[in-house]
Amino acid sequence: MKIKSVVFDFGNVICFPPTEEKIARAASDAGLPVDQFLRALWKDRLPYDGGMSPQEYWRGVAAAASTEFDNSLIEQMVQHEIGFWNTFDARVFDWIKTLRTAGFTIGILSNLPHPIAASLRGTPGFLEHFDHVTFSCDLRLYKPQAAIYEHSFRGLNVAPDETLFIDDKIENIEGARAVGMHAELFTTWEEFVGEVPRRYGLPEPA
């Protein structure tokens, strides 16, 4: 069946990954070595993406690193994390404009916590790129749970096999395919644009 909608993940697809400098500053403020900070940061991430409060999550990060964060430091960590994910790839936005001009509808489907969701909603023009938004924290769900994919394609008013989902994690690709969506793993922009648009009959990026 012909693709009618394209759904994008956020982190590492629409948004560049955080720089080493940003991570180092956050780890320094937390009083932790970078490697220990990162292990604690990602240890129990999905519940945070699924709606856990920042206070509970960051206290858990501190506990995982055998330390404590007070409320002031937690707020610093929240701001650092928002800053991790605020450098967008203009090439992706340009392709989204091309797709929409050609009549495709566009969704965003991302695992992310409330502070980042609020920041994106407050970023001028960001949500204007999308016909439907699926943020995990709003639904208390997260990829690769089936219901979060269903929220996305139903919100776009298309069938799963009329939808192409793009994500940088293989488990999320497998989750999308399990509900009947087409899905492609994003590694680099150059590799992606060299193969995927043509494969699905989509307009190629300029």
Side-chain angles (χ1 to χ4, degrees):
M1 189 171 288
K2 183 180 178 182
I3 297 296
K4 296 181 179 179
S5 297
V6 182
V7 178
F8 293 81
D9 178 35
F10 175 63
N12 300 327
V13 178
I14 292 171
C15 178
F16 289 107
T19 64
E20 292 181 1
E21 291 80 8
K22 288 182 177 181
I23 292 170
R25 286 197 296 270
S28 177
D29 284 348
L32 295 169
V34 168
D35 59 346
Q36 188 178 13
F37 175 76
L38 287 173
R39 283 196 302 271
L41 182 75
W42 295 111
K43 182 176 181 291
D44 292 309
R45 182 70 185 190
L46 286 178
Y48 188 33
D49 290 339
M52 177 187 287
S53 73
Q55 291 75 20
E56 184 177 356
Y57 169 72
W58 284 104
R59 289 192 182 104
V61 170
S66 302
T67 187
E68 294 182 358
F69 294 167
D70 62 18
N71 287 338
S72 176
L73 184 52
I74 287 172
E75 180 55 32
Q76 279 185 269
M77 292 298 104
V78 168
Q79 294 307 313
H80 274 302
E81 187 175 36
I82 290 170
F84 287 171
W85 305 104
N86 66 359
T87 305
F88 309 138
D89 191 335
R91 299 169 299 181
V92 178
F93 282 152
D94 287 344
W95 189 46
I96 286 173
K97 291 175 186 176
T98 299
L99 290 168
R100 295 185 85 182
T101 298
F104 295 89
T105 53
I106 304 298
I108 182 172
L109 165 55
S110 183
N111 285 353
L112 44 74
H114 285 298
I116 296 178
S119 176
L120 293 178
R121 289 190 167 105
T123 299
F126 181 82
L127 292 184
E128 294 174 6
H129 294 92
F130 308 104
D131 298 290
H132 185 69
V133 174
T134 302
F135 289 158
S136 60
C137 59
D138 297 332
L139 303 176
R140 295 192 172 274
L141 296 168
Y142 44 79
K143 298 175 290 185
Q145 294 174 328
I148 199 167
Y149 300 102
E150 293 166 1
H151 180 272
S152 182
F153 65 73
R154 287 174 179 168
L156 289 163
N157 197 31
V158 292
D161 63 354
E162 296 173 323
T163 312
L164 172 63
F165 176 58
I166 302 162
D167 196 288
D168 67 311
K169 294 184 177 179
I170 189 62
E171 61 267 29
N172 297 338
I173 295 299
E174 291 170 349
R177 289 172 177 166
V179 300
M181 299 170 79
H182 299 276
E184 293 290 339
L185 185 69
F186 187 95
T187 52
T188 68
W189 172 253
E190 291 76 15
E191 288 186 11
F192 178 83
V193 300
E195 298 179 7
V196 174
R198 190 178 306 111
R199 184 180 302 156
Y200 292 93
L202 302 174
E204 297 195 27

